Amino acid sequence: MVVNSFSFLLFFIVVFIGYYLPVCKHHPRYQNTWLLLASYFFYAYADLRMIPLLLGSTVVFWLLGLWLHREMEKGHMEKASRITTLAVVLGIGVLLYFKYLNFFAESFASLLQSVGFHVSWSTLHIILPIGVSFFTFKLISYVIEIHREHITPSRDLTEFAAYIAFFPTILSGPIDRPNKFLPQMQRVHTLDYSLAADGCRQILWGMFTKMCIADNLAVITNQAWGGYDTLPTTMLVAAALLYPIQLYADFDGYSNMAIGVGKILGFQVTRNFNRPFLARNMAEFWRRWHISLTGWITDYVYMPLNIAFRNIGKWGIILAAMINLILIGLWHGANWTFGLFGLYHGLLFIPLVLSGSIGKNKKLKANDHGLPFLKDFRKMVATYLLVCLGLVVFRADNIGQAFGFLRAMVTNGFDGASIIDRYGILYILFGLLLLTIDWIQRQKEHALQLEAFPLLRNQYLRFGLYLFIILMIITFTGKSQAFIYFQF
């Protein structure tokens, strides 16, 4: 049941009606209970077998949070540190078992075989729980934030479980932090028309970017990666240049829909993207891309490492950044391509650290014609090309395919049939429209702020635009593709 499906619409109508029933408005526990039941139904619909894992890990971490807080109140800080370590180890252990155990076993077996040792064991049939990378990070951050004394533990298991299993975000994020989300669950929500209307706009825009841009560009990129050994260089280069837009439209589309659903229910969900292709270097790009993940790893991995390595100066920052980016890469899955992807981005941080520009975040401005200054534009193009190169590795099924694709981009020549027809050109224009709107809204704090477009302050023009987007979705929806980040 994906967010842009008819079945989800029916599901959400039921959730909406039950959530705002008068009986639920007397105490937040009533709304949280209804939200928890809806979230577990939603997750069970995706994979019923994984409900015990979600429920069990939720209860364990809730109890660990209470235990940790009690020990801290008694002044037993050493014991509190051990409890926090236990929680982190348990969370990472869940990820390692379900997501990486077979990968490491296969890699170790291949290593032994390469030096002449033949092993006969077979990998386990481990099912990868959908959304495990997202809800596990929520669980870990909850205990860490208690230990840092940024939050007090939730005494209400229903409230805590509803936060972990919040159905708009459990499958593909964003990864909400407990210190910002749990307080929202401690108050009764009444229907806020302006917030709900903004949520509907965000859902509509997310549907357009996913269904009209990402799903149609996927036809081009899938054909390119499937036949890179026979397609001409021009087509492979075009696919490599288009894949970042496809990935952005797909993942940002889901994030916008999840955030929009949250707004209708009265929740402010963490923003996941901030116009990443306007970035002028790789550090700025990662501050704008998958913000909830990069922010999580930066706070809980990079900053502690940076402090630990401070005695070796800039090389300590480089080492911390390298580890940070490799972990971000490996978070995406059990494949050496993701590790190489992270290493590639980590290496791109080295010149930024050595030049002292890694922490600079100069505001992007427009010239008198409303366009970026030439110096900024050159940096944006260079950063985009570096992102394209890294995503070739990210998109590949294995290391061999990644290098095969890169080699074919150089050696295949310029002859051959085009995989981009007249409709393909239209979908590329849709993608460029997405980037153009990002530029126009660069000064705004949230997505889809209509104040960036003076003409749309007129309500009739606004509704005309909404109808036009709906018509575009109906007319140009591509062949349905699974959300890319569901696999992570």
Side-chain angles (χ1 to χ4, degrees):
M1 181 166 42
V2 292
V3 186
N4 58 327
S5 66
F6 184 71
S7 57
F8 181 84
L9 176 62
L10 295 178
F11 162 77
F12 186 65
I13 289 173
V14 174
V15 173
F16 178 86
I17 293 173
Y19 191 74
Y20 286 116
L21 281 176
V23 69
C24 289
K25 294 182 180 180
H26 299 299
H27 195 280
R29 174 173 288 185
Y30 297 142
Q31 288 185 323
N32 291 339
T33 301
W34 178 248
L35 190 60
L36 177 62
L37 292 173
S39 296
Y40 270 74
F41 174 84
F42 180 80
Y43 192 73
Y45 191 93
D47 195 342
L48 179 61
R49 297 167 296 180
M50 291 299 111
I51 285 292
L53 172 66
L54 176 61
L55 178 60
S57 57
T58 299
V59 172
V60 167
F61 275 77
W62 179 68
L63 293 173
L64 283 173
L66 294 173
W67 183 22
L68 170 63
H69 184 66
R70 185 168 64 250
E71 297 301 331
M72 291 176 66
E73 285 185 322
K74 294 177 180 178
H76 301 162
M77 302 312 295
E78 185 176 344
K79 189 173 182 180
S81 295
R82 290 199 296 268
I83 295 170
T84 303
T85 302
L86 172 63
V88 173
V89 169
L90 284 175
I92 294 175
V94 169
L95 280 178
L96 288 176
Y97 177 78
F98 285 100
K99 199 166 183 177
Y100 301 102
L101 182 60
N102 276 342
F103 168 67
F104 288 126
E106 291 171 356
S107 298
F108 185 62
S110 297
L111 177 64
L112 291 178
Q113 289 173 1
S114 68
V115 295
F117 293 96
H118 296 284
V119 293
S120 59
W121 72 66
S122 59
T123 54
L124 303 172
H125 297 289
I126 300 174
I127 302 169
L128 177 63
I130 191 168
V132 65
S133 299
F134 296 93
F135 71 74
T136 302
F137 271 26
K138 282 185 179 181
L139 292 167
I140 294 173
S141 64
Y142 172 73
V143 175
I144 293 176
E145 292 300 313
I146 293 173
H147 188 246
R148 291 180 174 181
E149 299 186 79
H150 293 167
I151 61 171
T152 56
S154 175
R155 303 286 178 181
D156 187 341
L157 177 57
T158 300
E159 171 190 291
F160 177 67
Y163 154 63
I164 298 299
F166 188 56
F167 72 87
T169 62
I170 190 172
L171 299 186
S172 243
I175 305 169
D176 283 297
R177 303 286 187 88
N179 49 338
K180 292 185 178 180
F181 201 85
L182 281 174
Q184 298 184 66
M185 307 205 71
Q186 294 164 0
R187 62 176 184 266
V188 172
H189 292 277
T190 56
L191 183 60
D192 183 328
Y193 175 80
S194 61
L195 187 63
D198 191 47
C200 289
R201 284 194 293 268
Q202 209 150 347
I203 292 171
L204 183 62
W205 181 245
M207 291 178 67
F208 174 77
T209 60
K210 163 60 179 171
M211 300 166 71
C212 292
I213 301 177
D215 285 354
N216 283 300
L217 290 182
V219 175
I220 299 172
T221 58
N222 289 344
Q223 288 186 40
W225 261 270
Y228 65 88
D229 51 343
T230 60
L231 290 169
T233 293
T234 48
M235 296 303 102
L236 299 182
V237 171
L241 292 173
L242 290 173
Y243 183 67
I245 299 176
Q246 178 203 337
L247 183 61
Y248 176 42
D250 187 284
F251 193 19
D252 187 48
Y254 180 90
S255 296
N256 275 321
M257 286 185 267
I259 293 169
V261 170
K263 285 181 177 179
I264 294 174
L265 296 175
F267 292 92
Q268 292 287 355
V269 175
T270 300
R271 187 180 181 183
N272 226 6
F273 292 90
N274 183 18
R275 303 169 187 90
F277 299 132
L278 302 184
R280 290 156 291 180
N281 58 57
M282 293 312 300
E284 187 178 347
F285 172 80
W286 281 107
R287 286 194 292 267
R288 294 170 173 267
W289 180 273
H290 201 171
I291 298 169
S292 64
L293 171 65
T294 55
W296 195 100
I297 294 184
T298 297
D299 286 350
Y300 301 131
V301 179
Y302 174 75
M303 294 306 295
L305 288 176
N306 207 9
I307 294 172
F309 300 152
R310 60 189 170 188
N311 291 333
I312 53 177
K314 288 185 176 180
W315 291 106
I317 299 175
I318 290 172
L319 182 57
M322 292 285 289
I323 295 172
N324 200 53
L325 269 298
I326 290 171
L327 288 176
I328 288 176
L330 288 174
W331 174 90
H332 288 87
N335 195 321
W336 289 116
T337 56
F338 297 126
L340 182 58
F341 168 78
L343 176 63
Y344 166 80
H345 280 273
L347 292 172
L348 293 177
F349 269 63
I350 294 177
L352 297 175
V353 175
L354 295 178
S355 65
S357 58
I358 188 171
K360 294 181 180 178
N361 192 18
K362 188 177 179 181
K363 190 173 183 179
L364 184 61
K365 296 181 180 180
N367 60 25
D368 294 337
H369 302 290
L371 300 173
F373 288 100
L374 184 59
K375 181 180 179 181
D376 287 330
F377 182 72
R378 287 199 301 264
K379 290 181 178 179
M380 285 189 283
V381 171
T383 302
Y384 184 82
L385 293 177
L386 290 172
V387 170
C388 291
L389 185 61
L391 286 178
V392 168
V393 180
F394 180 92
R395 172 62 177 77
D397 294 330
N398 51 62
I399 297 290
Q401 188 186 64
F403 284 105
F405 191 98
L406 292 170
R407 183 173 58 251
M409 286 174 62
V410 178
T411 62
N412 276 16
F414 295 91
D415 296 327
S418 172
I419 60 170
I420 303 179
D421 56 17
R422 59 195 177 103
Y423 290 106
I425 298 296
L426 176 63
Y427 304 139
I428 293 171
L429 292 177
F430 282 167
L432 294 176
L433 172 65
L434 174 62
L435 302 184
T436 301
I437 291 175
D438 275 0
W439 168 254
I440 295 172
Q441 293 186 317
R442 71 195 183 282
Q443 306 285 15
K444 300 301 175 182
E445 194 64 28
H446 301 289
L448 301 179
Q449 290 295 312
L450 298 178
E451 291 81 357
F453 307 93
L455 286 176
L456 297 183
R457 294 171 188 169
N458 182 289
Q459 64 175 350
Y460 298 107
L461 290 176
R462 283 204 308 273
F463 281 103
L465 175 63
Y466 303 152
L467 292 175
F468 177 73
I469 293 176
I470 292 172
L471 179 62
M472 296 289 281
I473 293 172
I474 294 172
T475 306
F476 294 108
T477 291
K479 182 180 178 180
S480 180
Q481 305 280 339
F483 285 96
I484 295 172
Y485 265 69
F486 275 10
Q487 63 186 298
F488 306 137

